[in-house]
Every structure is written in C-alpha cells, then in structure tokens.
Amino acid sequence: MQPIELTPEIMADLAACALPDTVQEMIRVMGLEAALTLINKAGGTRWSMPKHQPPQKLLERTPAEIHRQILLLAQHHAGERLAIPRMDRALRCIRDQDLIRRYSAGDSINDLARLYGITYRTVEKALQNPTPLPEDQPGGGAQGTLF
C-alpha cells in the first residue's frame, strides 16, 4: 500500500479509527509521522529491543530520518520483543475515505488509481463500498480514539 500523505482530513480519519494499544504507544513515544513510517516499512514483524545497544537490524530497514525516534522506542522497550502491527484494515479505511473525498472533489477514477498505485476496479469498489472505520461496525470502536 502506498504511503499516505498526512493531510488534516487524513488525520481526522485516523483519529476515528480505534488504534491498537501498541500503535498508540508508538505514536506517544515516536510521534505520528515516524510511527506511520515505521509501520509502512516494518509492519507485521517482531523485533527484539536490546537493553544496551541500538536495534541495528531495525535501523538498517528504516529511513535515516526516523532513526532517532526508533532509538527512543528501543529505549522505551529495552529487553522486550516489540510487535509492529501492519494496520492494513485501518490504512485501507483511511485510503478509502481519502478516495471518496478526492472523487467528490472532482478527481477521476483513473487519476486516483494512478495516485494510489491500485487498479481502476479497486477504486470503484472503494467508492461503492468503502472499508468501514472500526466504529461503524457492530462492536467496533470499543477501544476509544487517540486524539
């Protein structure tokens, strides 16, 4: 999935998602942009956070601009194994909301498909039946919001 630009509208969609505790903590320690970058680059993996040295393999896998924040996260979780969630569903929800917003503003389906690196049909499906935010589902939204 393509990285998502953090516009005010996207931030509102992100706030509406019931984020896992792990992600909320990552955002508190690292900041939102660094946490999303880490999720995009290393989501779906587990990392051992050494007590007395930096997590070298994780640093090698991520862009240099978030290394300082990763070191803060490693210090916060020293001696633990940290699971970095993929957040596919939440990111798909946010993408679909952005597709709807951009389509309503006049962007064509072809332009949206190219922008997000997805097919024309995927854009059509998202516009007709967007992935619901967790609070829109029965029993969803029970975890609360971050903002």
Side-chain angles (χ1 to χ4, degrees):
M1 183 173 292
Q2 296 285 91
I4 296 173
E5 182 183 347
L6 297 175
T7 64
E9 294 85 8
I10 297 296
M11 296 293 289
D13 291 339
L14 183 60
C17 290
L19 299 176
D21 291 340
T22 307
V23 174
Q24 291 184 39
E25 183 176 353
M26 286 172 54
I27 292 169
R28 278 193 298 276
V29 172
M30 302 176 71
L32 179 63
E33 289 193 52
L36 288 177
T37 300
L38 180 59
I39 289 164
N40 279 325
K41 297 292 184 184
T45 61
R46 291 180 187 266
W47 296 90
S48 294
M49 296 296 171
K51 287 184 180 183
H52 304 292
Q53 60 191 25
Q56 201 58 42
K57 290 188 185 234
L58 181 57
L59 291 172
E60 291 169 6
R61 187 172 181 165
T62 56
E65 58 266 15
I66 67 164
H67 285 181
R68 187 178 65 76
Q69 291 92 339
I70 289 175
L71 293 174
L72 290 172
L73 188 67
Q75 184 179 30
H76 190 76
H77 289 280
E80 300 175 15
R81 281 188 61 78
L82 177 65
I84 301 171
R86 288 180 49 196
M87 289 190 41
D88 279 351
R89 184 177 183 84
L91 292 174
R92 215 172 26 254
C93 291
I94 293 166
R95 179 206 64 194
D96 291 357
Q97 296 303 314
D98 193 45
L99 288 171
I100 291 166
R101 190 173 15 265
R102 288 173 183 261
Y103 182 73
S104 297
D107 288 358
S108 73
I109 293 176
N110 281 328
D111 289 341
L112 294 171
R114 279 191 299 276
L115 176 68
Y116 275 95
I118 56 179
T119 66
Y120 185 96
R121 182 69 188 125
T122 300
V123 175
E124 279 186 326
K125 285 181 184 177
L127 294 172
Q128 293 167 0
N129 189 21
T131 305
L133 295 171
E135 66 186 20
D136 293 341
Q137 301 174 29
Q143 189 168 346
T145 58
L146 178 63
F147 304 102

